[in-house]
Amino acid sequence: MTTITARIAQGVRAVPADQWDACAGPGNPFLSHAFLAALEESGSVGGRSGWQALPVIVDDEHGVPAAIAPAYAKAHSQGEYVFDHGWADAWGRAGGDYYPKLQIAVPFTPVPGPRLLLRDGAQASALIAGLEAVVTQNGLSSAHATFVTDEQLPLFEAAGWLTRAGTQFHWANHGYASFDDFLGDLASRKRKAIRKERAAAVAGLTIRHLSGADIRPDHWDAFWRFYQDTGSRKWGQPYLTRSFFPLLSQAMGDRVLLILAERDGVPIAGALNLIGDDALYGRYWGAVEEVPFLHFELCYYQAIDAAIARGLARVEAGAQGEHKLARGYTPVTTWSAHFLPDPGFRAAVADFLTRERAAVAQEQEYLGELAPFRRG
């Protein structure tokens, strides 16, 4: 029998950045050492946040990480976007403690990406076994890898993890040269509606795209006000701390795209995006002035403009939101994987997931028929 040795690091910052990034690769900015370390350094995770960073690592023969899972001990189910509150209630009614659980994810970030960071692909099964060992040896209820890529899902399935389907809305760049080129693929009525929305949204405003050194401290001051407003309305309190944003800018400013709407030189709304190798990722938005359609303009249409200009393959604009459908964002399936060592609990969840997956597929088929693109 092969002996597998996995270790737990006390946070992302305990792993040298070059070793982490050699496993994570360059494509997805949210999995970079810079992004995850900024969450820790800013206090957005750790402390009383309910997210304790405990990366699980399999080393090579030289003691250098060959595979890493961005794992967190979770004391609640907030900031995950794959909802398991019903599972927690059921486990509690059965007399168990659902929390802490092990979460393999990017905190507060519903962006699909690898959850097994593999410098050596042959270590995938060893890393999954290490995650399972962390759960069983510490008496945890479960482990959850959320927003797993299509490519890595079979690795979890082969290990016997349960899989769960969800829906997001992404915009696909079919080689468009301009926004008008994209509009040409839409039905006439939808095309006119979008043009009308865009004109109304930007009337009297100036839209700026800022990245790298162009983002000044006063821009982050403004965006913090926007973010606080949205966070307090959606979550009760913002997940990220004030210091996270300048830390992000310092660490990876060239991957940040901040889109601001200004009235008479004063920012009134903004959207924060991260730039990947093949996608633009929309993350946060907020405003201090109500302007009709401005949310759609900054978060969806300006993102499309930016993706076309950069030759990116798609825009991922975050979780949920059927209103994205009319703006050219179409439904795609997202996946999560779940390790539940208790046989009875696993059987009950497996039955639920089978029924839920059928409902998700049916809903996606219906939503696909509502897409604004020209038929034929």
Side-chain angles (χ1 to χ4, degrees):
M1 179 181 293
T2 301
T3 300
I4 297 169
T5 302
R7 62 183 173 93
I8 300 174
Q10 297 303 307
V12 173
R13 289 188 294 169
V15 183
D18 60 337
Q19 295 181 8
W20 183 283
D21 290 336
C23 293
N28 189 310
F30 300 100
L31 292 162
S32 68
H33 189 275
F35 184 87
L36 295 171
L39 289 175
E40 291 181 14
E41 186 175 352
S42 66
S44 300
V45 302
R48 297 182 179 181
S49 69
W51 292 80
Q52 182 183 359
L54 297 171
V56 177
I57 301 171
V58 174
D59 291 325
D60 65 15
E61 66 273 20
H62 304 293
V64 177
I68 304 174
Y72 295 81
K74 284 298 304 295
H76 51 65
S77 289
Q78 299 170 11
E80 296 169 9
Y81 302 92
V82 176
F83 303 108
D84 63 349
H85 300 92
W87 304 2
D89 290 342
W91 189 245
R93 289 196 300 271
D97 293 322
Y98 192 70
Y99 306 107
K101 61 178 182 175
L102 192 67
Q103 194 78 22
I104 303 94
V106 178
F108 327 121
T109 306
V111 172
R115 295 301 176 253
L116 308 172
L117 311 183
L118 304 172
R119 181 170 59 82
D120 179 358
Q123 298 297 331
S125 61
L127 184 56
I128 292 175
L131 293 167
E132 294 174 353
V134 170
V135 172
T136 56
Q137 292 175 10
N138 292 279
L140 305 183
S141 69
S142 51
H144 309 267
T146 44
F147 297 100
V148 177
T149 59
D150 293 352
E151 294 78 13
Q152 287 198 345
L153 193 69
L155 298 172
F156 289 98
E157 291 176 319
W161 291 40
L162 301 177
T163 58
R164 187 178 191 182
T167 301
Q168 286 188 353
F169 296 86
H170 298 174
W171 178 84
N173 184 357
H174 298 297
Y176 300 122
S178 66
F179 194 91
D180 281 340
D181 199 12
F182 154 63
L183 288 180
D185 274 356
L186 305 188
S188 175
R189 180 171 59 86
K190 298 294 186 181
R191 204 161 48 234
K192 292 176 182 176
I194 288 176
R195 286 189 173 123
K196 186 176 181 179
E197 280 187 359
R198 297 202 74 178
V202 301
L205 300 179
T206 299
I207 308 299
R208 300 192 187 280
H209 288 213
L210 304 172
S211 190
D214 292 334
I215 305 177
R216 304 189 307 262
D218 59 295
H219 293 137
W220 288 124
D221 289 339
F223 187 77
W224 175 245
R225 293 193 296 272
F226 309 150
Y227 174 70
Q228 281 187 302
D229 177 70
T230 300
S232 62
R233 285 186 287 107
K234 291 180 69 174
W235 313 305
Q237 65 180 29
Y239 291 134
L240 301 172
T241 65
R242 173 65 181 86
S243 63
F244 170 76
F245 298 100
L247 285 172
L248 177 71
S249 196
Q250 293 163 16
M252 48 190 301
D254 60 332
R255 306 295 290 271
V256 175
L257 175 63
L258 183 61
I259 302 176
L260 296 178
E262 297 179 351
R263 187 183 300 282
D264 299 324
V266 178
I268 64 162
L272 176 62
N273 307 265
L274 262 66
I275 305 166
D277 280 2
D278 60 356
L280 184 71
Y281 302 98
R283 287 307 303 120
Y284 301 105
W285 130 276
V288 293
E289 179 182 324
E290 289 288 336
V291 177
F293 309 118
L294 187 57
H295 173 241
F296 302 146
E297 175 65 25
L298 292 192
C299 296
Y300 308 143
Y301 303 142
Q302 290 290 330
I304 290 174
D305 281 335
I308 291 173
R310 288 170 169 80
L312 299 175
R314 66 190 183 280
V315 177
E316 299 187 18
Q320 304 159 336
E322 293 183 11
H323 55 278
K324 298 169 187 170
L325 191 65
R327 279 92 200 169
Y329 289 70
T330 54
V332 300
T333 304
T334 58
W335 296 101
S336 56
H338 307 271
F339 174 64
L340 310 171
D342 182 271
F345 189 35
R346 174 190 164 85
V349 171
D351 178 67
F352 165 77
L353 291 178
T354 298
R355 291 181 280 110
E356 183 189 50
R357 188 176 296 113
V360 168
Q362 185 176 25
E363 180 187 41
Q364 287 185 1
E365 183 177 1
Y366 167 73
L367 291 171
E369 294 173 355
L370 300 179
F373 295 91
R374 289 186 286 115
R375 303 300 177 186

